[in-house]
Amino acid sequence: MTATTEKPSSATDFATEVVTHSLVRDVALPGGAGTLALITLDNGHDHTRPNTFGPASLAELAQVVQTLHRRAAATEITAVAVTGKPFVFAVGADLSGVPHVAARKQALEIARAGHAAFAAFEDLPVPTFAFVNGAVMGGGLELALSATYRTMSAGVPAVALPEVFLGLVPGWGGCWRLPNLVGIERALTVVVENPLAQNRMLKGPDAHRLGLSDVLLEPADFIEESVAWAARVLSGEVVVERPDVDHDEAAWSAAVAKARALADAKTGRQARSPYVALDLLAAARTATREEGFAAEDDALADLIMTDELRAGLYAFDLVQKRAKRPAGAPDRSLARKVTKVGIVGAGLMAGQLALLVVQRLQVPVVLTDVDEARLAQGVGYVHAELEKLAGKGRLSPDRLRRLSRLVTGSVDKAGFADADLVIEAVFEEMAVKQQVFAEVEAVVGAACVLATNTSSLSVTEMGSRLQHPERVVGLHFFNPVAVMPLLEVIPGEHTDEATLATAFAVGASLRKTCIRAADRPSFVVNRLLGRFMGEAARIVDEGTPIEVVDRAFAGLAPMPPFVLIGLVGPAIALHNGETLVRAFPDRFWASPTLKRVVESGRRGFYDLSSGRPVLDPEVLELVETPADPVVLDVAAVRERVLRVLADEARRMLDEGVVASPKDLDLAMITGAGFQFWNGGLTPLLDRTGVAEAVTGTRFLPPGVAQVAAPG
């Protein structure tokens, strides 16, 4: 499915679809095993435009399979295999046309078309093979599951059924085929658990261990080895043995119940798709293929017509498209070349930055700190992390040596003299950062960009005492640096276009999602999280138990607010809150309870030693019950916090902190892990009516991130 200018009347009307062609060639099998018809899926683009299945793609595949059925019946071929273009097998349905699906009947046609094409492949009168050579997700994996046998490349970077992450279910056979292939527990991992874990992907070897393939082959000669393996299977030299699937009702039901509890914890029952998937997986124990497919058809048709899916696709579009074209970024031609990077500080954040920079930019990186011991620790951290990557096979010995040599340390900032970019990652104190920049400016060249990793302080004020404040820019990374995709790029009042362009170019080279933010307190994510966590803390300070407050945010935030405080660190959370209170004392809250936790030296509100969060009884003793406590229930807590988020989001847009509500959503998705099925933040505020109740207007036009009204 792809977007069209008019609402189509049926699933086959998506005329602008980028068609994934099914290209067939005959391959003579070694050892006299006959002829294999090899289908190669290819949409004519390179790997940056993966193979997807829209209506025309499915129709072509079905037609090709029909021809192969006749050839097989005539004994012209002894087997059929399907593979993908270089680096990509197929990544599922082309969902870009879903916003134009206006009726359930249309959605049902889409579901049935996928089932028909894949079932026809499965029903060929000769053995079928899937040679999974590259990324395989969604409908692509469901096609592979419909084959009799599967080979998988050890180099496959991503294997997933991510539908639940978006607000869908695997609806082209995945919910029926997978549990009957690998068992219910493993199927639940792939269909429900991984999508709810921020869309966790499997690599080829991991997928093989779960039983998603019959053999794992090296990538260098993958197709040739797959063909040879297929020949050995056909000749009987290789007999594929798979463990029997336990269909015991009690065990199956227990596994589903456990996954349902996980879905409750992750979504607070605010999302529909995990539960639909669980029902389909539960029914797969006894359902026939036809019954399973019919149930998937109905489920897919229903979910396509939900706001949940439309919000998920809106979020997906932000991450895939808007993230690649940051609003407000200068022309990249203005960017200066960066051939050496300096990092002030040698603590954990500085070490993470150095590791990322040397891996992505592959240029010399110099760290500085006040003494040799701290410096050695920081440089040692980077070298140790590189060695870990090499130990996992992700760096060759030569690359390990080269990258390690690029990372050095010095107690003298003179080592920055020929640097093109210097990033400060020191204590979050304005006077300290101003002094650092003054010392750096004294030794660097005129074109060197000075970047601050501040999470909340003014970039303009930080550069106000420099001779050249135009070279100062904010580059706010999120912790852990290697994992979190977001990079907030903050120009100060005097930042020039070349400096800003360089900042965006570096962010792109570091493979970060860059968002331009105005130089306002705490910028984007920390300001919204500050209002979010501050209000949650205020509710606790007023008398509502912590566990009630934390339960209110399942399905909104990636983790409860008091668990999140433990992750970012109570001291950092308190500092951000106090910064925002100083800037906006009328609406932000610096919690006395949080201050007592910081003063006690505790690392958070929860004890995580058991592997799951348990409220620390010593921390609970620091919570003071007011004389007249106000105790809210979960619904009231959620409503109150959503209201203050709507208020803050509107204020930030009015202040021009970002260019659009879309940037608020992109920031909260990539910097704070807010869920796709909510569309980030603003679609949820629109959909619940909170936006209009608080601000008098929606954030997004009607029909954006939701099912459009008829007409």
Side-chain angles (χ1 to χ4, degrees), residues 7-302:
K7 293 180 181 178
S9 59
S10 75
T12 57
D13 287 340
F14 294 115
T16 59
E17 175 187 344
V18 176
V19 178
T20 294
H21 296 289
S22 297
L23 310 175
V24 184
R25 63 185 175 96
D26 287 355
V27 178
L29 293 168
T35 300
L36 177 142
L38 179 62
I39 304 170
T40 299
L41 304 172
D42 193 341
N43 63 6
H45 296 261
D46 66 17
H47 66 280
T48 61
R49 183 68 184 259
N51 295 328
T52 53
F53 295 115
S57 305
L58 291 171
E60 182 173 322
L61 175 63
Q63 185 176 26
V64 165
V65 169
Q66 187 177 33
T67 300
L68 293 176
H69 193 286
R70 290 195 296 269
R71 294 187 64 199
T75 68
E76 295 177 15
I77 53 177
T78 55
V80 176
V82 61
T83 192
K85 65 183 182 181
F87 309 111
V88 177
F89 184 85
V91 298
D94 180 353
L95 296 172
S96 59
V98 166
H100 300 275
V101 176
R104 186 183 185 278
K105 180 181 178 182
Q106 252 182 294
L108 191 60
E109 289 179 19
I110 294 166
R112 289 173 174 168
H115 274 133
F118 295 175
F121 178 76
E122 184 176 37
D123 292 340
L124 281 165
V126 292
T128 55
F129 297 82
F131 299 157
V132 183
N133 63 306
V136 59
M137 302 176 207
L141 182 55
E142 289 174 297
L143 172 59
L145 292 173
S146 70
T148 317
Y149 306 102
R150 283 161 295 284
T151 68
M152 184 166 292
S153 168
V156 171
V159 180
L161 290 172
E163 287 84 352
V164 164
F165 182 66
L166 292 172
L168 273 178
V169 294
W172 285 345
C175 285
W176 184 85
R177 284 195 178 100
L178 189 59
N180 285 298
L181 173 69
V182 302
I184 185 60
E185 290 189 357
R186 291 180 173 186
L188 287 164
T189 295
V190 178
V191 175
V192 178
E193 181 181 338
N194 285 355
L196 292 182
Q198 292 297 305
N199 201 24
R200 182 166 56 211
M201 300 280 166
L202 299 168
K203 294 188 182 299
D206 302 319
H208 174 67
R209 282 191 288 271
L210 285 179
L212 272 67
S213 71
D214 298 305
V215 65
L216 189 70
L217 302 172
E218 290 302 311
D221 52 359
F222 174 73
I223 295 298
E224 293 82 357
E225 286 300 309
S226 292
V227 169
W229 183 83
R232 293 196 294 274
V233 170
L234 292 170
S235 68
E237 181 183 345
V238 169
V239 177
V240 174
E241 296 182 354
R242 298 174 185 143
D244 290 334
V245 172
D246 183 3
H247 285 80
D248 176 72
E249 182 178 2
W252 198 283
S253 298
V256 172
K258 183 179 178 182
R260 197 175 297 275
L262 172 70
D264 289 348
K266 292 285 188 178
T267 73
R269 295 189 172 273
Q270 300 297 314
R272 181 179 174 186
S273 58
Y275 301 98
V276 176
L278 287 166
D279 289 344
L280 291 169
L281 290 163
R285 185 182 71 86
T286 58
T288 64
R289 189 184 79 167
E290 288 68 26
E291 290 169 343
F293 286 6
E296 288 180 356
D297 287 340
D298 284 333
L300 205 62
D302 289 342

Side-chain angles (χ1 to χ4, degrees), residues 463-537:
S464 62
R465 299 181 183 179
L466 299 179
Q467 293 181 359
H468 297 286
E470 69 275 6
R471 65 166 70 189
V472 177
V473 67
L475 288 179
H476 179 211
F477 293 86
F478 289 76
N479 192 24
V481 173
V483 176
M484 299 303 289
L486 181 62
L487 175 62
E488 293 178 345
V489 181
I490 308 104
E493 184 179 334
H494 303 292
T495 304
D496 63 25
E497 290 291 280
T499 295
L500 190 57
T502 303
F504 274 102
V506 167
S509 297
L510 296 177
R511 303 178 195 172
K512 294 296 185 184
T513 295
C514 297
I515 292 178
R516 178 171 177 166
D519 188 16
R520 300 285 292 162
S522 295
F523 317 126
V524 184
V525 171
N526 280 359
R527 180 162 164 185
L528 284 168
L529 286 182
R531 191 81 191 269
F532 166 61
M533 292 193 292
E535 195 66 19

Side-chain angles (χ1 to χ4, degrees), residues 636-648:
V637 171
R638 185 180 178 90
E639 173 77 9
R640 180 163 149 184
V641 174
L642 285 177
R643 290 180 70 88
V644 302
L645 283 171
D647 175 70
E648 201 61 34

Side-chain angles (χ1 to χ4, degrees), residues 548-567:
V548 174
V549 173
D550 273 352
R551 282 204 307 271
F553 300 104
L556 170 62
M559 61 185 67
F562 288 92
V563 177
L564 182 59
I565 287 172
L567 179 67

Side-chain angles (χ1 to χ4, degrees), residues 622-638:
L622 301 174
V623 180
E624 297 180 356
T625 303
D628 297 307
V630 177
V631 181
L632 304 180
D633 62 17
V634 165
V637 171
R638 185 180 178 90

Side-chain angles (χ1 to χ4, degrees), residues 429-444:
E429 178 65 47
M430 180 61 74
V432 174
K433 292 178 182 289
Q434 287 177 328
Q435 180 181 345
V436 162
F437 271 166
E439 293 171 356
V440 172
E441 188 179 45
V443 298
V444 298

Side-chain angles (χ1 to χ4, degrees), residues 386-397:
L386 290 171
E387 288 172 3
K388 287 179 186 177
L389 292 172
K392 296 176 182 178
R394 294 171 60 184
L395 289 180
S396 68

